């Protein structure tokens, strides 16, 4: 158990060292995202329309923030895997006494944590410079979001599996990314989708979570009223996660058979 | 004693894109005991790397069984606790971390941490003579230095089995000697089982207790190095002649003798390599009768593993 925490710690430390070592890169990231968020904020203020996450700019920005994390959940595993392969340390990392599932989980957790260390100051800066009033129930939102993103990690594993076997996953990733963006109610409300797509949309990983966060923020519903929904969300996400893990393990089996783990 | 590594009739068949089958490893068996250095030799493409990767679970065998310290190689997590690996080429390290950071990182990945890990890293840097370079990014280190760091990574968790795929490639004379001595120390003093592959026969001869020569995926011989030399070396003589006063006719005659080979030397001498005693007599008699040239020396040659290797690889 301690060993596994040490493993996770190593990945976080590695990310932080990288952040420090490529400081210019880190600063650029912060700047770009600050500009992005300010731009979104100002844009929304003048046009009054954006992703349908709520009415005020704060909620809309929350929507984008969530989307960023969602995209991260989707891409981080495949990216980390491809990164290790190109840097040439993938096999040595695979020789650690843990499952490849755990390696990727730690890698992307480290990714999310180090990313958040950059995003949180950006958000604070945005809040301070715009004077946005935040009235978002943080903890319940985080809980719902956490459950939602588990499902996305399921797809993250699937993409990582594709990276492992086919060595490229750019198109598959774009496909998923935009599919989720348009058909999970991020910017297009569910009711506006063609009728045949609605049931599909309902079981996609993002849809339920977004719906619940909206209910929480816009309609002011309490988390305690959402017990059933929360449980369904959990089931839905777990299902995707399990499928993703199975696909990834299966992909590992394929590259072990082909002997192509290190080839990139 | 139970062998630490046991390879039992292991095969690997790769399928190419054109659906052709490549038999990379064909029913290979061998065992490595505790404290033993085992050399896996063979020409390019013989299947050495494939065998190493099958032992560490990076490649799945098509047939046969592999046990590492009693654990089936398919139980990768358990096997990984038993082995330290230097893979072929430079695919062992995080290039954007320093030597020390690499050791710390991979140490953590093998569940080591805190003071124990720090001490281990210091010891390894000392052991491998890397103190000076510990803070350099691995990407900026020379090939040989990287190789030493990789060996350090393999040794981090102090595993009972070390798998070293061409570990001395790219090392300079001094590092080479250091690593060679370290490997010896590790096995003979600390009881590690070492599997190493190399193309340098002198290294194998000096370092290995036992070797297997494989060719096209099959074991051709497996023996103690000394046993191999006894078994495969025929007595073998060198006759060195002064070129001065040798006339082309006599030279022709000498060259036509059976079981002899001419090796031209630049410093005005010629060496004739003669395969057995009988042939040696023929050569000497001819030289005596023709008085073709001065004999500088006649010597019985110590057979080297290299000669044996070439002989085994060429004949089929
Ligand atoms: N992933 C793979 N897919 C298909 N064929 C492979 C694969 N890996 C190795 N081979 C083939 O298997 C054979 C053995 O390769 P291997 O790398 O094990 O040889 P080796 O003895 O390590 O050679 P070298 O001395 O050059 O390192 C070769 O014919 C090689 O082309
Ligand atoms: Mg090889």
């Amino acid at each position: 158990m301690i060993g596994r925490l040490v493993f996770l710690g190593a990945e976080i430390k590695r990310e932080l060292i990288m952040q420090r070592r490529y400081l210019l890169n880190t600063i650029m990231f912060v700047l770009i995202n600050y500009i992005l968020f300010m731009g979104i904020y100002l844009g929304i203020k003048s046009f009054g329309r954006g992703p349908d996450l709520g009415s005020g700019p704060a909620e809309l920005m929350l929507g984008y923030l969530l989307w960023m994390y969602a995209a991260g959940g989707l891409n981080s595993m495949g990216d980390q895997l491809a990164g290790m392969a190109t840097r040439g340390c993938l096999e040595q990392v695979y020789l650690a006494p843990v499952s490849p599932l755990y390696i990727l989980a730690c890698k992307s957790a480290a990714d999310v944590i180090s990313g958040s260390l950059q995003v949180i100051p950006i958000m604070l800066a945005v809040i301070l410079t715009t004077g946005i009033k935040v009235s978002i129930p943080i903890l319940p939102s985080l809980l719902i979001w956490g459950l939602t993103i588990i499902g996305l990690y399921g797809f993250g594993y699937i993409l990582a599996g594709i990276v492992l076997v086919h060595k490229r996953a750019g198109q598959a990733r774009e496909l998923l990314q935009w599919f989720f963006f348009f058909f999970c109610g991020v910017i297009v409300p569910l009711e506006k989708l063609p009728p045949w797509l609605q049931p599909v949309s309902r079981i996609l990983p993002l849809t339920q979570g977004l719906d619940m966060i909206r209910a929480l923020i816009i309609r002011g519903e309490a988390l305690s009223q959402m017990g059933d929904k929360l449980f369904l969300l959990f089931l839905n996400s777990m299902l995707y996660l399990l499928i993703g893990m199975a696909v990834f393990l299966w992909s590992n089996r394929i590259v072990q058979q082909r002997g192509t783990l290190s080839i990139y | 004693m139970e062998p630490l590594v046991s390879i039992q009739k292991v095969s690997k068949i790769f399928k190419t894109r054109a659906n052709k089958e490549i038999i990379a490893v064909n029913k290979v068996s061998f065992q490595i005991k505790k404290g033993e250095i085992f050399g896996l030799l063979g020409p390019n493409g013989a299947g050495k790397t494939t065998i190493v990767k099958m032992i560490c679970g990076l490649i799945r065998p098509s047939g046969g069984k592999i046990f590492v310290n009693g654990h089936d190689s398919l139980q990768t997590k358990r096997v990984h606790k038993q082995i330290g690996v230097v893979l072929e080429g430079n695919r062992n390290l995080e290039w954007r971390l320093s030597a020390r950071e690499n050791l710390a990182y991979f140490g953590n990945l093998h569940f080591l941490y805190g003071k124990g890990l720090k001490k281990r890293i210091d010891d390894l840097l000392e052991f491998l003579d890397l103190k000076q370079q510990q803070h350099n990014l691995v990407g900026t280190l020379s090939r040989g230095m990287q190789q030493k760091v990789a060996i350090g990574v393999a040794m981090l968790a102090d595993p009972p089995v070390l798998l070293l795929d061409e570990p001395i490639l790219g090392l300079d004379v001094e590092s080479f000697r250091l690593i060679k001595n370290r490997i010896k120390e590790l096995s003979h003093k600390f009881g590690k089982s070492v599997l190493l592959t190399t193309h340098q026969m002198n290294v194998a001869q000096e370092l290995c207790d036992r070797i297997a020569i494989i060719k096209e995926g099959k074991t051709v011989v497996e023996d103690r190095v000394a046993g191999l030399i006894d078994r495969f070396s025929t007595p073998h003589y060198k006759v060195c002649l002064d070129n001065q006063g040798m006339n082309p006719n006599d030279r022709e005659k000498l060259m036509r003798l059976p079981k002899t080979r001419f090796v031209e030397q630049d410093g005005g001498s010629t060496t004739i390599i003669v395969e057995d005693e009988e042939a040696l007599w023929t050569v000497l008699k001819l030289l005596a009768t023709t008085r073709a040239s001065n004999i500088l020396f006649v010597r019985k040659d110590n057979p080297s593993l290299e000669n044996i290797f070439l002989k085994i690889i060429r004949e089929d």
Side-chain angles (χ1 to χ4, degrees):
Chain A
M1 184 62 205
I2 290 179
R4 279 164 188 271
L5 287 177
V6 170
F7 189 110
L8 174 62
E11 291 300 346
I12 295 172
K13 203 155 83 192
R14 195 189 67 88
E15 284 292 337
L16 296 182
I17 291 174
M18 288 303 153
Q19 256 183 35
R20 203 155 19 106
R21 193 149 291 158
Y22 297 89
L23 194 60
L24 188 66
N25 216 28
T26 311
I27 293 172
M28 288 301 179
F29 177 89
V30 170
L31 271 180
I32 289 169
N33 280 286
Y34 178 73
I35 292 170
L36 198 67
F37 277 103
M38 283 303 283
I40 293 168
Y41 170 74
L42 294 171
I44 292 164
K45 242 177 105 175
S46 51
F47 295 114
R49 187 76 202 126
D52 195 17
L53 243 185
S55 43
E59 289 85 347
L60 293 172
M61 287 203 344
L62 175 76
Y64 277 107
L65 188 64
L66 297 185
W67 175 244
M68 258 175 68
Y69 273 90
L74 205 54
N75 296 332
S76 141
M77 290 180 168
D79 286 346
Q80 290 283 348
L81 201 69
M84 283 190 284
T86 45
R87 294 197 303 277
C89 61
L90 180 60
E91 288 179 313
Q92 194 57 250
V93 173
Y94 256 64
L95 289 172
V98 296
S99 152
L101 286 172
Y102 188 71
I103 297 174
L104 279 201
C106 287
K107 286 251 169 205
S108 54
D111 218 12
V112 167
I113 291 170
S114 77
S116 303
L117 285 181
Q118 296 172 339
V119 168
I120 290 167
I122 298 169
M123 296 325 288
L124 285 178
V126 171
I127 289 170
L128 286 178
T129 44
T130 55
I132 283 181
K133 287 240 164 41
V134 202
S135 57
I136 297 162
I138 303 266
L139 281 182
S141 309
L142 274 182
L143 175 69
I144 294 172
W145 189 244
L147 285 179
T148 306
I149 216 155
I150 288 176
L152 278 173
Y153 276 104
F155 282 89
Y157 273 126
I158 292 176
L159 284 178
I162 295 176
V163 170
L164 207 56
V165 174
H166 295 283
K167 311 300 172 192
R168 296 275 180 289
Q171 300 302 331
R173 153 210 286 212
E174 297 273 311
L175 181 82
L176 281 182
Q177 204 160 315
W178 295 118
F179 193 77
F180 292 157
F181 194 61
F182 290 116
F183 303 133
C184 287
V186 177
I187 61 167
V188 185
L190 213 57
E191 311 82 60
K192 302 268 168 70
L193 291 176
W196 60 269
L197 201 56
Q198 290 187 19
V200 180
S201 169
R202 223 171 274 284
I203 56 163
L204 287 176
L206 275 180
T207 316
Q208 298 177 22
L210 281 179
D211 192 45
M212 289 165 72
I213 290 185
R214 266 193 211 109
L216 205 70
I217 294 170
I218 304 168
R219 300 196 287 274
E221 285 177 30
L223 191 63
S224 51
Q225 298 170 295
M226 301 184 190
D228 293 355
K229 279 185 171 176
L230 214 53
F231 184 63
L232 273 180
L233 173 65
F234 173 74
L235 283 186
N236 199 42
S237 290
M238 280 321 255
L239 182 70
Y240 284 120
L241 185 66
L242 289 178
I243 292 173
M245 286 167 133
V247 170
F248 182 65
L249 284 179
W250 179 60
S251 310
N252 269 281
R253 184 75 178 257
I254 291 176
V255 291
Q256 279 177 331
Q257 237 135 28
R258 293 190 188 160
T260 51
L261 180 64
S262 64
I263 297 167
Y264 196 73
Chain B
M1 198 178 356
E2 271 285 286
L4 270 187
V5 179
S6 173
I7 314 276
Q8 302 169 2
K9 294 205 178 118
V10 167
S11 300
K12 180 67 201 178
I13 300 168
F14 289 114
K15 282 210 178 63
T16 62
R17 281 175 181 264
N19 234 356
K20 247 182 60 195
E21 290 191 343
I22 299 176
I23 305 177
V25 178
N26 194 349
K27 300 206 181 112
V28 167
S29 303
F30 60 82
Q31 308 199 321
I32 311 176
K33 290 194 276 287
K34 188 171 150 59
E36 185 177 48
I37 306 179
F38 188 87
L40 201 53
L41 311 180
N44 291 129
K48 304 179 296 292
T49 299
T50 307
I51 293 175
V52 169
K53 288 192 179 174
M54 284 194 287
I55 301 174
C56 27
L58 293 176
I59 291 180
R60 215 178 161 85
S62 315
K65 281 262 160 223
I66 300 175
F67 293 96
V68 182
N69 210 356
H71 303 288
D72 190 317
S73 68
L74 297 181
Q75 297 179 304
T76 45
K77 277 187 261 183
R78 291 199 187 157
V79 168
H80 291 172
K81 284 191 179 156
Q82 311 295 327
I83 58 177
V85 189
V86 173
L87 292 163
E88 185 180 58
N90 39 24
R91 326 200 109 266
N92 293 290
L93 304 164
E94 265 286 356
W95 283 44
R96 295 190 276 183
L97 295 179
S98 73
R100 194 183 183 95
E101 284 164 350
N102 259 287
L103 290 168
Y105 173 66
F106 284 107
N108 286 161
L109 297 197
H110 285 270
F111 301 173
L112 308 174
Y113 59 97
K115 284 212 185 85
L117 176 60
K118 191 176 169 300
K119 166 117 188 6
R120 183 82 185 133
I121 292 173
D122 284 329
D123 290 349
L124 283 173
L125 289 170
E126 189 78 43
F127 189 70
L128 296 166
D129 193 20
L130 278 169
K131 272 257 150 70
Q132 294 279 310
Q133 294 83 16
Q134 58 172 317
H135 296 300
N136 298 14
L137 293 196
V138 160
T140 67
L141 290 179
S142 71
R143 178 76 182 78
M145 298 280 181
Q146 289 169 0
Q147 196 64 5
K148 286 209 269 181
V149 181
I151 293 172
V153 166
M155 289 172 54
L156 268 166
D158 200 21
V161 177
L162 288 169
L163 308 174
L164 312 173
D165 200 355
E166 300 189 28
I168 49 168
L169 201 75
L171 296 180
D172 64 21
V173 183
E174 207 174 324
S175 314
F176 165 59
R177 181 172 305 168
L178 177 89
I179 294 302
K180 205 175 61 187
N181 292 336
R182 291 316 190 213
I183 293 175
K184 264 192 187 156
E185 215 174 310
L186 280 170
S187 79
H188 298 160
K189 196 161 139 199
F190 298 108
K192 309 283 175 206
S193 299
V194 180
L195 171 69
L196 82 92
T197 78
T198 178
H199 287 293
Q200 278 157 280
M201 293 304 136
N202 55 333
V203 175
Q205 186 168 3
E206 245 185 283
L207 209 52
C208 298
D209 301 307
R210 228 149 39 87
I211 58 165
I213 296 179
I214 55 171
K215 185 184 166 186
E216 289 162 11
K218 279 199 200 133
T219 316
V220 193
V221 280
E222 187 213 313
D223 203 345
R224 287 182 310 110
V225 175
L228 204 62
I229 287 173
D230 281 350
R231 194 139 63 96
F232 280 88
S233 68
T234 43
H236 162 149
Y237 302 89
K238 265 187 184 168
V239 180
C240 191
L241 302 177
D242 194 349
N243 280 352
Q244 224 127 50
M246 169 126 71
N247 87 35
N249 251 343
D250 295 336
R251 194 187 178 81
E252 274 290 300
K253 273 189 203 156
L254 276 171
M255 280 173 86
R256 263 184 273 121
L257 289 179
K259 295 184 178 171
T260 54
R261 207 148 39 91
F262 258 66
V263 185
E264 209 65 51
Q265 230 102 40
D266 26 61
S269 66
T270 300
T271 305
I272 307 176
I273 296 170
V274 188
E275 274 177 30
D276 59 30
E277 223 158 289
E278 206 186 316
L280 179 68
W281 276 116
T282 330
V283 170
L284 291 180
K285 260 188 255 168
L286 186 75
L287 283 171
T289 52
T290 59
R291 297 178 181 252
S293 156
N294 285 332
I295 299 175
L296 296 178
F297 64 81
V298 177
R299 191 172 72 201
K300 187 169 181 208
D301 230 24
N302 279 335
S304 67
L305 189 58
E306 181 155 348
N307 288 336
I308 294 170
F309 177 79
L310 288 174
K311 199 164 158 185
I312 291 172
I313 290 304
R314 280 184 191 143
E315 73 189 22
D316 212 358

